[in-house]
Amino acid sequence: MCGIIGYIGHRNVVNVILSGLTNLEYRGYDSAGLALRDGSDIKVYKTLGKLVNLKNELEARKSELYNVTCGIGHIRWATHGSPSLVNAHPHSCTCGKLVVVHNGIIENYKELREELIKKGCEFKSQTDTEVIAHLVANEYSKAKNLEMAIQNSVAKLQGAYAICVMHKDVPDLIIGARKHAPMLIGVGDGENFIASDTPAIIEYTKKTIYLDDNEIAIVTKDSVKIKDINGEEIDKKIEILPWEPIALSKLGYKHFMLKEIYEQPDVIRNVLNGKIYDIDEPIILNEVKLDKETIRNLKKIEIIACGTSLHVGLVAKYVLEDFTGISVEVEASSEYIYRKTTTDSSTLVIGVSQSGETADTITAIKQAKAKNAHVLIVTNRPDSNMARLADSLIPVNAGIEVSVAATKSYIAQLVSFYLLGIYMAEVKGTLDSDYLKNLKHEIIQLPTKVEEILSCTNSIQTCAKKFSSFKNFIFIARGVNLATAYEGALKLKEVSYINATGYAAGELKHGPIAMLDETMPVLSILMSGGITYEKVLSNSEEAKARNAKLIALTSSNDEKLDSLFDVVLRVPQVREILSPIIACVPCQLLAYYIAEFLGKDVDQPRNLAKSVTVE
Ligand code: M6R
């Protein structure tokens, strides 16, 4: 979704802002813009589409710029008003002296807009953001102090905002403010940054101050002051970012998505590191702050998440129920919020989110907290809003994920749930010790098994070419891999725009079978050694009888599969409950290679955003 960077300091301001926006590009956007203080002027540049257009525009107009000392930049993912130049940020007040960039949604913007029009403000765009420009300018005309104007203005805003403001009459000052949308300060030497997310600043500084809700940052090149909305100064801690700039490089891979798929063995090792060190010893999960008695008395677990993280939750249901005997409900956050849930203090609510900023999940988590549930967050962003709401926090440490399509964060979240399940089972005594030892032993082998898949992807690439011209796909599975079917279909849809749907294999004959013919390939997930293999095989035969082209994703060496299926993708054998870790990898690769073969924008699929910060 939208991204913000503000910079004031000794470097080339245009370059810093453009590189900051480039590092936020992965979030998804449809226009970009920046405002620069050049001498006593403020100059605004905006373009539609990709950032390269803004770069070209600035290159063409660089002779107009003389002495740029600070600036604010933005990439916009349209919410209010179409993606157009007039709706792109920065927005200005009527006289053009004040500029603002904004992430979030102002819910009372219509009322404010009417009031401001009555006061003579001239609106140019359809955005909710433009009200902020006029509102602050209006307050500034009364207070003659930008800081106070912002304090007075944010008090009138309802909804979510992270804003950066500059004013022509207040040289060399950028003010930021936030409520329900992330914002941080990058602290430098003779320079400072304001950004909506860490990748925007990581090239320049690791020293960060995270703004909390209702805080305002007053930033010059030599100072950063954080105040509350009453103007009281707050003493904030400087934190050191855990990321390295190298995380934002493709390291020779054609796309971040492929690089991140290949990082997965190490990502799994990272998750296991320090938690399983000896199969005879209990799992160490200090992050879980529930005492053992509470774990023993838990009545229910609710998992809330969206998209790929929701699929993690669906796997986790099988794992946690199997390992602990506790009943688990899984629901899309955007639906959970409409239910009168039976959540109470004996419920463990788990929010799953790679970004930790997904608005629907944050709302659902707040609802669960209000019902006194213990909230555990599983996320790749321990610095996120969601992490700050957590009673317990499991950071999955997958490293920054740049590709919009989640891959390594998915596998890291999955592995974290296996560890959580074992931890709880050890507290409750629900699994016998031999089973536990074997399970841990197999979990430790997982990185090597994923490496085996990644070391030979020829058959997946050939399959991708063969099937790239199909317009529709069905993925089927049963049991713990039903979520793998959903996730495989989602990945394919996201990056290749091919219509793909995951179905419980048993449901095929209750409706979807009507769609089957030679134009509708079916990918069956057949993990051997468990209770679902034979049944999924029968369902695949039913599909074959309707002339569907068949792909098997299997850990079985049974040769009869080669005559039934058009393509057989083989993966290493693991016990069925662990197989989603193995089965998800070929699904990711298939989606990647089909999209790459079709020439799609793999890392930044159209219309998608990495952090979905609006409900
Ligand atoms: O950051 P989150 O995990 O909360 O994001 C949830 C979904 O928006 C996300 O998983 C989305 O489905 C991705 N595009 C998956 O590739």
Side-chain angles (χ1 to χ4, degrees), residues 306-309 352-356 358 404-406 490-491 494 608 610 612:
C306 303
T308 290
S309 295
V352 193
S353 173
Q354 66 74 28
S355 65
T358 301
V404 167
L490 178 69
K491 272 304 75 93
E494 285 186 301
L608 292 184
K610 187 73 184 161
V612 183

mmCIF file with all atom_site columns, all heavy atoms in Angstrom, residues 306-309 352-356 358 404-406 490-491 494 608 610 612, ligand 1:
data_model
loop_
_atom_site.group_PDB
_atom_site.id
_atom_site.type_symbol
_atom_site.label_atom_id
_atom_site.label_alt_id
_atom_site.label_comp_id
_atom_site.label_asym_id
_atom_site.label_entity_id
_atom_site.label_seq_id
_atom_site.pdbx_PDB_ins_code
_atom_site.Cartn_x
_atom_site.Cartn_y
_atom_site.Cartn_z
_atom_site.occupancy
_atom_site.B_iso_or_equiv
_atom_site.pdbx_formal_charge
_atom_site.auth_seq_id
_atom_site.auth_comp_id
_atom_site.auth_asym_id
_atom_site.auth_atom_id
_atom_site.pdbx_PDB_model_num
ATOM   1   N N   . CYS A 1 306 ? -5.261 -13.158 7.443  1.00 0.00 ? 306 CYS A N   1
ATOM   2   C CA  . CYS A 1 306 ? -5.777 -12.918 6.091  1.00 0.00 ? 306 CYS A CA  1
ATOM   3   C C   . CYS A 1 306 ? -4.843 -13.573 5.071  1.00 0.00 ? 306 CYS A C   1
ATOM   4   O O   . CYS A 1 306 ? -3.648 -13.730 5.328  1.00 0.00 ? 306 CYS A O   1
ATOM   5   C CB  . CYS A 1 306 ? -5.787 -11.431 5.756  1.00 0.00 ? 306 CYS A CB  1
ATOM   6   S SG  . CYS A 1 306 ? -6.729 -10.439 6.902  1.00 0.00 ? 306 CYS A SG  1
ATOM   7   N N   . GLY A 1 307 ? -5.393 -13.885 3.898  1.00 0.00 ? 307 GLY A N   1
ATOM   8   C CA  . GLY A 1 307 ? -4.601 -14.335 2.757  1.00 0.00 ? 307 GLY A CA  1
ATOM   9   C C   . GLY A 1 307 ? -3.722 -15.533 3.086  1.00 0.00 ? 307 GLY A C   1
ATOM   10  O O   . GLY A 1 307 ? -4.166 -16.531 3.664  1.00 0.00 ? 307 GLY A O   1
ATOM   11  N N   . THR A 1 308 ? -2.454 -15.414 2.726  1.00 0.00 ? 308 THR A N   1
ATOM   12  C CA  . THR A 1 308 ? -1.500 -16.500 2.944  1.00 0.00 ? 308 THR A CA  1
ATOM   13  C C   . THR A 1 308 ? -1.372 -16.838 4.428  1.00 0.00 ? 308 THR A C   1
ATOM   14  O O   . THR A 1 308 ? -1.263 -18.002 4.815  1.00 0.00 ? 308 THR A O   1
ATOM   15  C CB  . THR A 1 308 ? -0.145 -16.083 2.333  1.00 0.00 ? 308 THR A CB  1
ATOM   16  O OG1 . THR A 1 308 ? -0.311 -16.088 0.918  1.00 0.00 ? 308 THR A OG1 1
ATOM   17  C CG2 . THR A 1 308 ? 0.984  -17.007 2.706  1.00 0.00 ? 308 THR A CG2 1
ATOM   18  N N   . SER A 1 309 ? -1.414 -15.825 5.279  1.00 0.00 ? 309 SER A N   1
ATOM   19  C CA  . SER A 1 309 ? -1.311 -16.078 6.725  1.00 0.00 ? 309 SER A CA  1
ATOM   20  C C   . SER A 1 309 ? -2.525 -16.858 7.224  1.00 0.00 ? 309 SER A C   1
ATOM   21  O O   . SER A 1 309 ? -2.425 -17.643 8.176  1.00 0.00 ? 309 SER A O   1
ATOM   22  C CB  . SER A 1 309 ? -1.187 -14.756 7.486  1.00 0.00 ? 309 SER A CB  1
ATOM   23  O OG  . SER A 1 309 ? 0.023  -14.142 7.142  1.00 0.00 ? 309 SER A OG  1
ATOM   24  N N   . VAL A 1 352 ? -1.945 -13.998 12.986 1.00 0.00 ? 352 VAL A N   1
ATOM   25  C CA  . VAL A 1 352 ? -0.805 -14.348 12.124 1.00 0.00 ? 352 VAL A CA  1
ATOM   26  C C   . VAL A 1 352 ? -0.712 -13.293 11.022 1.00 0.00 ? 352 VAL A C   1
ATOM   27  O O   . VAL A 1 352 ? -1.716 -13.001 10.365 1.00 0.00 ? 352 VAL A O   1
ATOM   28  C CB  . VAL A 1 352 ? -0.984 -15.738 11.468 1.00 0.00 ? 352 VAL A CB  1
ATOM   29  C CG1 . VAL A 1 352 ? 0.324  -16.213 10.842 1.00 0.00 ? 352 VAL A CG1 1
ATOM   30  C CG2 . VAL A 1 352 ? -1.529 -16.749 12.447 1.00 0.00 ? 352 VAL A CG2 1
ATOM   31  N N   . SER A 1 353 ? 0.482  -12.750 10.824 1.00 0.00 ? 353 SER A N   1
ATOM   32  C CA  . SER A 1 353 ? 0.621  -11.711 9.802  1.00 0.00 ? 353 SER A CA  1
ATOM   33  C C   . SER A 1 353 ? 2.091  -11.500 9.489  1.00 0.00 ? 353 SER A C   1
ATOM   34  O O   . SER A 1 353 ? 2.876  -11.217 10.394 1.00 0.00 ? 353 SER A O   1
ATOM   35  C CB  . SER A 1 353 ? 0.020  -10.405 10.340 1.00 0.00 ? 353 SER A CB  1
ATOM   36  O OG  . SER A 1 353 ? 0.280  -9.342  9.462  1.00 0.00 ? 353 SER A OG  1
ATOM   37  N N   . GLN A 1 354 ? 2.472  -11.641 8.212  1.00 0.00 ? 354 GLN A N   1
ATOM   38  C CA  . GLN A 1 354 ? 3.882  -11.390 7.914  1.00 0.00 ? 354 GLN A CA  1
ATOM   39  C C   . GLN A 1 354 ? 4.211  -9.924  8.151  1.00 0.00 ? 354 GLN A C   1
ATOM   40  O O   . GLN A 1 354 ? 5.244  -9.601  8.692  1.00 0.00 ? 354 GLN A O   1
ATOM   41  C CB  . GLN A 1 354 ? 4.296  -11.878 6.517  1.00 0.00 ? 354 GLN A CB  1
ATOM   42  C CG  . GLN A 1 354 ? 3.708  -11.199 5.292  1.00 0.00 ? 354 GLN A CG  1
ATOM   43  C CD  . GLN A 1 354 ? 4.243  -9.826  4.976  1.00 0.00 ? 354 GLN A CD  1
ATOM   44  O OE1 . GLN A 1 354 ? 5.387  -9.513  5.312  1.00 0.00 ? 354 GLN A OE1 1
ATOM   45  N NE2 . GLN A 1 354 ? 3.432  -8.993  4.356  1.00 0.00 ? 354 GLN A NE2 1
ATOM   46  N N   . SER A 1 355 ? 3.323  -9.021  7.764  1.00 0.00 ? 355 SER A N   1
ATOM   47  C CA  . SER A 1 355 ? 3.630  -7.584  7.872  1.00 0.00 ? 355 SER A CA  1
ATOM   48  C C   . SER A 1 355 ? 3.365  -7.028  9.260  1.00 0.00 ? 355 SER A C   1
ATOM   49  O O   . SER A 1 355 ? 3.957  -6.030  9.653  1.00 0.00 ? 355 SER A O   1
ATOM   50  C CB  . SER A 1 355 ? 2.761  -6.800  6.884  1.00 0.00 ? 355 SER A CB  1
ATOM   51  O OG  . SER A 1 355 ? 1.399  -6.915  7.256  1.00 0.00 ? 355 SER A OG  1
ATOM   52  N N   . GLY A 1 356 ? 2.443  -7.655  9.979  1.00 0.00 ? 356 GLY A N   1
ATOM   53  C CA  . GLY A 1 356 ? 2.046  -7.125  11.287 1.00 0.00 ? 356 GLY A CA  1
ATOM   54  C C   . GLY A 1 356 ? 1.270  -5.826  11.174 1.00 0.00 ? 356 GLY A C   1
ATOM   55  O O   . GLY A 1 356 ? 1.029  -5.143  12.175 1.00 0.00 ? 356 GLY A O   1
ATOM   56  N N   . THR A 1 358 ? -1.605 -5.590  8.903  1.00 0.00 ? 358 THR A N   1
ATOM   57  C CA  . THR A 1 358 ? -2.877 -5.817  8.206  1.00 0.00 ? 358 THR A CA  1
ATOM   58  C C   . THR A 1 358 ? -4.048 -5.274  9.042  1.00 0.00 ? 358 THR A C   1
ATOM   59  O O   . THR A 1 358 ? -4.286 -5.733  10.169 1.00 0.00 ? 358 THR A O   1
ATOM   60  C CB  . THR A 1 358 ? -3.042 -7.322  7.922  1.00 0.00 ? 358 THR A CB  1
ATOM   61  O OG1 . THR A 1 358 ? -1.926 -7.710  7.132  1.00 0.00 ? 358 THR A OG1 1
ATOM   62  C CG2 . THR A 1 358 ? -4.317 -7.627  7.181  1.00 0.00 ? 358 THR A CG2 1
ATOM   63  N N   . VAL A 1 404 ? 5.835  -9.205  -3.196 1.00 0.00 ? 404 VAL A N   1
ATOM   64  C CA  . VAL A 1 404 ? 4.483  -9.059  -2.629 1.00 0.00 ? 404 VAL A CA  1
ATOM   65  C C   . VAL A 1 404 ? 3.897  -10.438 -2.303 1.00 0.00 ? 404 VAL A C   1
ATOM   66  O O   . VAL A 1 404 ? 3.232  -10.624 -1.287 1.00 0.00 ? 404 VAL A O   1
ATOM   67  C CB  . VAL A 1 404 ? 3.580  -8.261  -3.596 1.00 0.00 ? 404 VAL A CB  1
ATOM   68  C CG1 . VAL A 1 404 ? 2.121  -8.361  -3.188 1.00 0.00 ? 404 VAL A CG1 1
ATOM   69  C CG2 . VAL A 1 404 ? 4.017  -6.802  -3.622 1.00 0.00 ? 404 VAL A CG2 1
ATOM   70  N N   . ALA A 1 405 ? 4.168  -11.413 -3.167 1.00 0.00 ? 405 ALA A N   1
ATOM   71  C CA  . ALA A 1 405 ? 3.670  -12.767 -2.905 1.00 0.00 ? 405 ALA A CA  1
ATOM   72  C C   . ALA A 1 405 ? 4.487  -13.382 -1.771 1.00 0.00 ? 405 ALA A C   1
ATOM   73  O O   . ALA A 1 405 ? 5.702  -13.539 -1.872 1.00 0.00 ? 405 ALA A O   1
ATOM   74  C CB  . ALA A 1 405 ? 3.786  -13.605 -4.162 1.00 0.00 ? 405 ALA A CB  1
ATOM   75  N N   . ALA A 1 406 ? 3.821  -13.721 -0.698 1.00 0.00 ? 406 ALA A N   1
ATOM   76  C CA  . ALA A 1 406 ? 4.525  -14.253 0.480  1.00 0.00 ? 406 ALA A CA  1
ATOM   77  C C   . ALA A 1 406 ? 4.964  -15.690 0.227  1.00 0.00 ? 406 ALA A C   1
ATOM   78  O O   . ALA A 1 406 ? 4.183  -16.513 -0.238 1.00 0.00 ? 406 ALA A O   1
ATOM   79  C CB  . ALA A 1 406 ? 3.596  -14.195 1.680  1.00 0.00 ? 406 ALA A CB  1
ATOM   80  N N   . LEU A 1 490 ? -3.748 -19.676 -4.564 1.00 0.00 ? 490 LEU A N   1
ATOM   81  C CA  . LEU A 1 490 ? -3.609 -18.228 -4.333 1.00 0.00 ? 490 LEU A CA  1
ATOM   82  C C   . LEU A 1 490 ? -2.316 -17.690 -4.960 1.00 0.00 ? 490 LEU A C   1
ATOM   83  O O   . LEU A 1 490 ? -2.310 -16.654 -5.630 1.00 0.00 ? 490 LEU A O   1
ATOM   84  C CB  . LEU A 1 490 ? -3.624 -17.909 -2.829 1.00 0.00 ? 490 LEU A CB  1
ATOM   85  C CG  . LEU A 1 490 ? -3.440 -16.433 -2.469 1.00 0.00 ? 490 LEU A CG  1
ATOM   86  C CD1 . LEU A 1 490 ? -4.647 -15.603 -2.882 1.00 0.00 ? 490 LEU A CD1 1
ATOM   87  C CD2 . LEU A 1 490 ? -3.200 -16.246 -0.977 1.00 0.00 ? 490 LEU A CD2 1
ATOM   88  N N   . LYS A 1 491 ? -1.217 -18.452 -4.777 1.00 0.00 ? 491 LYS A N   1
ATOM   89  C CA  . LYS A 1 491 ? 0.070  -18.003 -5.331 1.00 0.00 ? 491 LYS A CA  1
ATOM   90  C C   . LYS A 1 491 ? -0.048 -17.870 -6.850 1.00 0.00 ? 491 LYS A C   1
ATOM   91  O O   . LYS A 1 491 ? 0.404  -16.899 -7.431 1.00 0.00 ? 491 LYS A O   1
ATOM   92  C CB  . LYS A 1 491 ? 1.183  -19.011 -5.034 1.00 0.00 ? 491 LYS A CB  1
ATOM   93  C CG  . LYS A 1 491 ? 1.980  -18.957 -3.784 1.00 0.00 ? 491 LYS A CG  1
ATOM   94  C CD  . LYS A 1 491 ? 2.734  -17.758 -3.373 1.00 0.00 ? 491 LYS A CD  1
ATOM   95  C CE  . LYS A 1 491 ? 1.920  -16.645 -2.843 1.00 0.00 ? 491 LYS A CE  1
ATOM   96  N NZ  . LYS A 1 491 ? 1.693  -16.520 -1.438 1.00 0.00 ? 491 LYS A NZ  1
ATOM   97  N N   . GLU A 1 494 ? -2.129 -14.850 -7.795 1.00 0.00 ? 494 GLU A N   1
ATOM   98  C CA  . GLU A 1 494 ? -1.486 -13.573 -7.482 1.00 0.00 ? 494 GLU A CA  1
ATOM   99  C C   . GLU A 1 494 ? -0.443 -13.174 -8.513 1.00 0.00 ? 494 GLU A C   1
ATOM   100 O O   . GLU A 1 494 ? -0.407 -12.025 -8.924 1.00 0.00 ? 494 GLU A O   1
ATOM   101 C CB  . GLU A 1 494 ? -0.767 -13.655 -6.123 1.00 0.00 ? 494 GLU A CB  1
ATOM   102 C CG  . GLU A 1 494 ? -1.676 -13.628 -4.939 1.00 0.00 ? 494 GLU A CG  1
ATOM   103 C CD  . GLU A 1 494 ? -0.885 -13.566 -3.642 1.00 0.00 ? 494 GLU A CD  1
ATOM   104 O OE1 . GLU A 1 494 ? -0.078 -14.478 -3.393 1.00 0.00 ? 494 GLU A OE1 1
ATOM   105 O OE2 . GLU A 1 494 ? -1.077 -12.615 -2.886 1.00 0.00 ? 494 GLU A OE2 1
ATOM   106 N N   . LEU A 1 608 ? -2.040 -5.497  -6.102 1.00 0.00 ? 608 LEU A N   1
ATOM   107 C CA  . LEU A 1 608 ? -1.746 -6.075  -4.779 1.00 0.00 ? 608 LEU A CA  1
ATOM   108 C C   . LEU A 1 608 ? -0.815 -5.178  -3.975 1.00 0.00 ? 608 LEU A C   1
ATOM   109 O O   . LEU A 1 608 ? -0.034 -4.417  -4.525 1.00 0.00 ? 608 LEU A O   1
ATOM   110 C CB  . LEU A 1 608 ? -1.095 -7.450  -4.919 1.00 0.00 ? 608 LEU A CB  1
ATOM   111 C CG  . LEU A 1 608 ? -1.969 -8.562  -5.466 1.00 0.00 ? 608 LEU A CG  1
ATOM   112 C CD1 . LEU A 1 608 ? -1.204 -9.877  -5.456 1.00 0.00 ? 608 LEU A CD1 1
ATOM   113 C CD2 . LEU A 1 608 ? -3.250 -8.709  -4.657 1.00 0.00 ? 608 LEU A CD2 1
ATOM   114 N N   . LYS A 1 610 ? 1.773  -5.197  -0.315 1.00 0.00 ? 610 LYS A N   1
ATOM   115 C CA  . LYS A 1 610 ? 2.454  -6.065  0.650  1.00 0.00 ? 610 LYS A CA  1
ATOM   116 C C   . LYS A 1 610 ? 1.851  -5.931  2.043  1.00 0.00 ? 610 LYS A C   1
ATOM   117 O O   . LYS A 1 610 ? 1.738  -6.907  2.776  1.00 0.00 ? 610 LYS A O   1
ATOM   118 C CB  . LYS A 1 610 ? 3.945  -5.708  0.677  1.00 0.00 ? 610 LYS A CB  1
ATOM   119 C CG  . LYS A 1 610 ? 4.799  -6.642  1.505  1.00 0.00 ? 610 LYS A CG  1
ATOM   120 C CD  . LYS A 1 610 ? 4.983  -7.979  0.811  1.00 0.00 ? 610 LYS A CD  1
ATOM   121 C CE  . LYS A 1 610 ? 5.752  -8.984  1.631  1.00 0.00 ? 610 LYS A CE  1
ATOM   122 N NZ  . LYS A 1 610 ? 5.523  -10.355 1.161  1.00 0.00 ? 610 LYS A NZ  1
ATOM   123 N N   . VAL A 1 612 ? -1.538 -4.572  3.826  1.00 0.00 ? 612 VAL A N   1
ATOM   124 C CA  . VAL A 1 612 ? -2.874 -4.066  3.521  1.00 0.00 ? 612 VAL A CA  1
ATOM   125 C C   . VAL A 1 612 ? -3.369 -3.311  4.760  1.00 0.00 ? 612 VAL A C   1
ATOM   126 O O   . VAL A 1 612 ? -3.958 -3.889  5.664  1.00 0.00 ? 612 VAL A O   1
ATOM   127 C CB  . VAL A 1 612 ? -3.816 -5.211  3.091  1.00 0.00 ? 612 VAL A CB  1
ATOM   128 C CG1 . VAL A 1 612 ? -5.183 -4.663  2.702  1.00 0.00 ? 612 VAL A CG1 1
ATOM   129 C CG2 . VAL A 1 612 ? -3.203 -5.947  1.906  1.00 0.00 ? 612 VAL A CG2 1
HETATM 130 O O1  . M6R B 2 .   ? 0.876  -9.239  6.213  1.00 0.00 ? 1   M6R B O1  1
HETATM 131 P P1  . M6R B 2 .   ? -0.176 -10.283 6.304  1.00 0.00 ? 1   M6R B P1  1
HETATM 132 O O2  . M6R B 2 .   ? 0.359  -11.653 6.420  1.00 0.00 ? 1   M6R B O2  1
HETATM 133 O O3  . M6R B 2 .   ? -1.181 -9.985  7.388  1.00 0.00 ? 1   M6R B O3  1
HETATM 134 O O4  . M6R B 2 .   ? -0.940 -10.182 4.933  1.00 0.00 ? 1   M6R B O4  1
HETATM 135 C C1  . M6R B 2 .   ? -2.095 -10.912 4.671  1.00 0.00 ? 1   M6R B C1  1
HETATM 136 C C2  . M6R B 2 .   ? -2.357 -10.975 3.189  1.00 0.00 ? 1   M6R B C2  1
HETATM 137 O O5  . M6R B 2 .   ? -2.611 -9.698  2.679  1.00 0.00 ? 1   M6R B O5  1
HETATM 138 C C3  . M6R B 2 .   ? -1.186 -11.591 2.425  1.00 0.00 ? 1   M6R B C3  1
HETATM 139 O O6  . M6R B 2 .   ? -0.911 -12.864 2.903  1.00 0.00 ? 1   M6R B O6  1
HETATM 140 C C4  . M6R B 2 .   ? -1.502 -11.669 0.935  1.00 0.00 ? 1   M6R B C4  1
HETATM 141 O O7  . M6R B 2 .   ? -2.467 -12.650 0.714  1.00 0.00 ? 1   M6R B O7  1
HETATM 142 C C5  . M6R B 2 .   ? -0.203 -11.888 0.175  1.00 0.00 ? 1   M6R B C5  1
HETATM 143 N N1  . M6R B 2 .   ? -0.289 -11.218 -1.058 1.00 0.00 ? 1   M6R B N1  1
HETATM 144 C C6  . M6R B 2 .   ? 0.114  -13.317 -0.013 1.00 0.00 ? 1   M6R B C6  1
HETATM 145 O O8  . M6R B 2 .   ? 1.014  -13.617 -0.997 1.00 0.00 ? 1   M6R B O8  1
#
